[in-house]
Amino acid sequence: MKEYKLDTLCVQAGYKPKTGESRIPSICQSTTFFYGDTQAMADCFDLKSNDYFYSRLANPTVAAFEGKVAALEGGVAAVGCASGMSAITLAAFTVAGAGDNIVCSQEVYGGTYNLFGVTLPKLGIECRFIDPDAPAEEIEKLIDGKTKMVYVETIANPAITVVDFDKFAAICRKAGVLLAVDNTLATPAFCRPKEFGANIVLHSSSKYLDGHAAALGGVIVDLGNFDFKGNPRYESFNTPDESYHGLVYADLPSAVFATKCRAQMIRDLGAIMSPQNAFLSYIGCDTLALRMAKHASNAAKIAEYLNAHPKIEWVRYPSLKDNKYHALAQKYLPDGQGGMMSFGIKGDVAQCAEFMESLQLITQETHVADVRSCVLHPASTTHRQLSKADLEKAGVPENLIRLSVGIENPDDLIADLEQALAKL
Ligand SMILES: *Cc1c(COP(=O)(O)O)cnc(C)c1O
C-alpha cells in the first residue's frame, strides 16, 4: 500500500476482507485458535507460519491495527502493545540488557524519563540523558560500545521541543546505533521519522491514533532500514537464540527488530494490546489525517491569540515565528505541528488555578491529544511536590499551563479562554 498518500492509507491500510467477511476488522475476542493438525501448529511455534495460535503473541484484530500503523509510518512490521509505556519498555528490552546503555533526550514524556532514569537502571540498563539541542560532538561522547539505542521524541511532551533529525540521524549512522523516535505528538500525519533517518518509531496510541480518549495502547514500528547483520553492537541479534531453537534474528529476511520483540519480549513479558483496544484504535486511525489537520489549525490560531494577549507572558508552540523551534518545525513538520502547546499566565499558582477553574468548555484533565480540548496546570497537579526553584529547573515554571487543543470550533475555544482571562 506504500504508493498511496497518507489520508488514503488511514482509511484503507491494515485490513483487507475476503469475500463475505466483515468490511472492518471484527473484534476477535478469543485467546486461542483451533488446529486439527499438529504440524501446522508446530510451524506456528517455529515461526515458519504466520497463523494465529495464542493472543498473547498475535491476534487478528491487533494485527489489523499493527498493519495500519506500519503502513502509515512506512514500516515493514509493527507490534501492538498494552500501552505507550509498555511499547517503550518492550523496545528497550529487545535491544538492551544489564551492562548496556541508552542515550536519551532529556526532553521526553515523564513516564519515559522515569522508566529510563529509575526503573531500567535497577535492572542494570543505564540511561544517559542529553540536551537534545547539544552539538553533535557532545552527544557522540556519550555513545560507547554498549549503547543500544538513541531515543528522542519528534515533538517532546510536554516541553514542545522539535528534534533535529538530521543531527541525530548522522550521529546514529556514524556509530551504527539504532535511532528510536517517539512520534506520538506529531503522528505520521505530520512527520514520518523514517524519511529523516529513524529506524524504530514508537507511539502511545492512547493519544492521537485512537484520538477519542477511548483506548489505551502503544505500538512499535520496525522501519526495516537497519542492518543488524554482523554489527558487533547487536550481538543478541547475531547469535543463536537458544529460547527459539537457535534462531539468529539478524538472518531473517525482514522485520528483524519486530520479530525479536514479539518472539522474545511479548512472549516473555506479555503486555500485548487487547483486541477491543486494537479495534477502537484501528477505527480511530481512519480519521487521523482529518483530525490532525483540524487540531493543528486550531492550535495555530489559539497560539496567535494567546501570544498577543496582554495577560499572557509567553507561549510555546512551534508555528509561532518567535518560537525557538520554528525553523526545525518548518523543516520536519511543514504541514502542521500538532495540537499541544504550553503558555505562561502573568501571575502565580493561585491565579493559574483561578484561570483554570473559570474555563467552561475546556476541561482539566491528565490526558492529552484527543478530540476534546483540555488543560493541565503541572505546578498544582503532576508537579505539585516541587519547589518554585525545582519547577524552573524542570522546565515547568509555576505559571505554565499545558493546553491540548481539540477539534471544536476555534472561535468557541478562544471565547472560553477570553472569558477566563478576563476574570483575572
Ligand atoms: C502518553 C505518552 C506516552 C505513554 O503512553 P501511555 O499510553 O499513557 O502508556 C509515551 N510517550 C508520549 C510522548 C506520550 O505522550
Side-chain angles (χ1 to χ4, degrees), residues 83-85 88 109 112 153 157 182 184-185 204 206-207 216-217 368:
S83 66
M85 286 319 302
I88 299 164
Y109 177 69
T112 308
E153 292 181 4
N157 180 10
D182 182 333
T184 299
L185 292 193
S204 163
S206 325
K207 312 292 168 54
L216 270 183
V368 296

Side-chain angles (χ1 to χ4, degrees), residues 34 42 75 79 109 182 196 209 283 304 307 337 387-388:
F34 169 75
V79 181
Y109 177 69
D182 182 333
F196 306 117
L209 296 188
I283 56 174
E304 293 288 347
N307 213 26
Q337 293 88 40
S387 67
K388 191 172 171 182

Side-chain angles (χ1 to χ4, degrees), residues 230-308:
N231 184 334
R233 193 184 290 285
Y234 295 99
E235 77 280 359
S236 72
F237 287 75
N238 280 287
T239 47
D241 177 0
E242 295 313 333
S243 75
Y244 240 108
H245 323 302
L247 178 67
V248 177
Y249 294 101
D251 289 342
L252 291 168
S254 134
V256 169
F257 187 93
T259 306
K260 186 170 188 280
C261 179
R262 190 182 300 278
Q264 288 183 333
M265 293 308 143
I266 291 277
R267 178 196 63 187
D268 295 354
L269 300 173
I272 197 164
M273 185 178 256
S274 74
Q276 175 79 37
N277 283 353
F279 174 79
L280 291 167
S281 309
Y282 177 96
I283 56 174
C285 285
D286 286 351
T287 55
L288 180 72
L290 277 177
R291 285 187 285 108
M292 291 314 294
K294 178 79 167 165
H295 279 293
S297 74
N298 276 0
K301 277 182 198 147
I302 289 170
E304 293 288 347
Y305 159 77
L306 290 172
N307 213 26

Side-chain angles (χ1 to χ4, degrees), residues 171-241:
I171 292 168
C172 289
R173 254 197 316 275
K174 196 165 133 196
V177 61
L178 278 172
L179 178 57
V181 178
D182 182 333
N183 200 32
T184 299
L185 292 193
T187 82
F190 291 138
C191 180
R192 303 226 236 173
K194 185 182 187 181
E195 292 164 12
F196 306 117
N199 309 113
I200 304 293
V201 162
L202 299 105
H203 280 276
S204 163
S205 61
S206 325
K207 312 292 168 54
Y208 288 123
L209 296 188
D210 159 37
H212 299 78
L216 270 183
V219 60
I220 304 166
V221 186
D222 180 345
L223 298 173
N225 58 356
F226 190 86
D227 195 4
F228 290 95
K229 187 130 183 83
N231 184 334
R233 193 184 290 285
Y234 295 99
E235 77 280 359
S236 72
F237 287 75
N238 280 287
T239 47
D241 177 0

